[in-house]
Structures are given as C-alpha cells and as structure tokens.
C-alpha cells in the first residue's frame, strides 16, 4: 500500500525502496532473555521520542506497562 502511495513521488519512492521495504533481521541470541529484549525496545523508542518530540506510550498505550521496566 505504501508503494502505491509513494509511486507518484520519486524521492519518497527512492526512500521506500532503500529503507522502508527492507526485511529486518534481528539476532535474538545477543539478548539474555525476553526482559532484555523489551528493555532494549523501550530504550530505543524513548531515544526516538527525544528526536521526534513524541511519546511512544501515548501512541501505543498497550505497552505502557513496560514504561518503567528496570534493568
């Protein structure tokens, strides 16, 4: 669906083909357990929030229970 939307915009189409439409491979073996994976995800999204002036937990309230997960 994104490809159809972006098809009329060459710059967006280029971004889609180079960045958005990529399969992400995650090596879960680098983490000790599921809690560590969740902590990493929360840390990453909080960092993005700083740059974007957003709040991950406002956008995805179903994850709010992890907001104060301690390491």
């Amino acid at each position: 669906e994104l490809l159809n939307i972006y098809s009329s915009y060459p710059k967006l189409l280029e971004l889609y083909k180079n960045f958005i439409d990529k399969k992400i491979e995650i090596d879960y073996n680098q983490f000790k357990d599921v809690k560590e994976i969740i902590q990493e995800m929360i840390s990453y999204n909080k960092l993005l929030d700083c740059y974007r002036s957003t709040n991950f937990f406002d956008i995805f309230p179903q994850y709010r229970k992890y907001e104060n997960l301690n390491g």
Side-chain angles (χ1 to χ4, degrees), residues 15-44:
L15 286 172
Y16 177 84
K17 289 181 177 180
N18 290 322
F19 299 103
I20 297 172
D21 190 33
K22 296 290 181 190
K23 183 175 180 181
I24 298 173
E25 296 289 335
I26 298 173
D27 178 13
Y28 290 103
N29 293 321
Q30 67 182 327
F31 301 104
K32 292 185 297 190
D33 54 25
V34 173
K35 185 177 177 183
E36 189 176 25
I37 295 169
I38 293 169
Q39 289 172 331
E40 187 66 27
M41 186 269 300
I42 296 303
S43 296
Y44 177 76

Side-chain angles (χ1 to χ4, degrees), residues 43-67:
S43 296
Y44 177 76
N45 282 289
K46 284 183 174 182
L47 180 63
L48 289 177
D49 285 344
C50 290
Y51 291 108
R52 297 176 176 168
S53 298
T54 57
N55 185 315
F56 175 81
F57 299 105
D58 287 345
I59 298 167
F60 301 101
Q62 67 269 31
Y63 296 110
R64 191 166 297 284
K65 63 184 176 184
Y66 301 113
E67 186 171 11

